[in-house]
Every structure is written in C-alpha cells, then in structure tokens.
Amino acid sequence: MTKQVLLALIGAIFSFLTTTQLFSSNFLTLPVDSTDCNGVFGGSAYIDACGFCVAGDTGLTDCLLDCNGVYNGSAYIDSCGVCVGGNTGLTDCFLNILDCNGDSLGTAYIDTCGNCVGGNTGLVDCLAPLDCNGDPNGTA
C-alpha cells in the first residue's frame, strides 16, 4: 500500500469518525467538527474507487472507468466503434486498416455479389466482363 493511499485511508476514517454524533450527556447531542480526507474542515474531498483522496482542494479528479472497465485505463472507442487500446489487446482500426481479406492496407473489397474479391484474394468481381475464353477482363 502506497503512502498516499494509506494517508487517504486514514483521512477517510478520521472524517467518518469526526462526523459521527457523540453524546456528552443523556440530554444533549453535540456534533464533532468535520474534515474531509484532505484534512480540510467542511471540505468536499473524498476517497475515489482507486483509493485516492480527490476533489475538494486536492486538485485531483476522480478516477474513471475506461470502455474496458479498467479504472484510469487508457482503452477508448475507435472510429469503428470498438473498444481498443489499454489492456484490450486490440488496435485502433484507423492504425490497422484491413481489407475484407484481412490484409493490412489491402485492396480487396466486397463485390455486388457479396464476395471478397480483388487484392490478394485471387478472385474477381462477379460483374467483371468475361472475354471469349471466359476470362474476367480478358482480351480474347
């Protein structure tokens, strides 16, 4: 446990204990002074899900979940709508553009018949004109 986490935890415990109502007699209830986890009287700092004292006068923001469910993670939604980066094991579709044949920066495409053709597929577009020998785009 880091010193910062330990201090934040102690601050949170102290804050809880000092906001509790204590009875000084059977007839009178006296509130005890309240400090936040940053030690500020009446402050609004609190312990976030990562165990850090944040907000209030700390200058720190609450840790957030990335799209992969990791607090303070670096995963993000790419332009293809997929959660990538961080510890997802996936790369941004913009950085790794694959054609329908799976070739990076390839030229294969889906023809009007729904087939992946061109590029390195060895297949031709279903609408390519055939020559007299039946060869697509042939010259016979």
Side-chain angles (χ1 to χ4, degrees), residues 77-84 91-97:
I77 303 296
D78 70 4
S79 58
C80 299
V82 177
C83 182
V84 299
T91 57
D92 192 311
C93 66
F94 181 75
L95 301 174
N96 190 21
I97 300 172

Side-chain angles (χ1 to χ4, degrees), residues 12-26:
I13 292 169
F14 180 75
S15 179
F16 171 77
L17 293 176
T18 57
T19 57
T20 309
Q21 299 285 326
L22 298 178
F23 294 94
S24 60
S25 72
N26 290 336

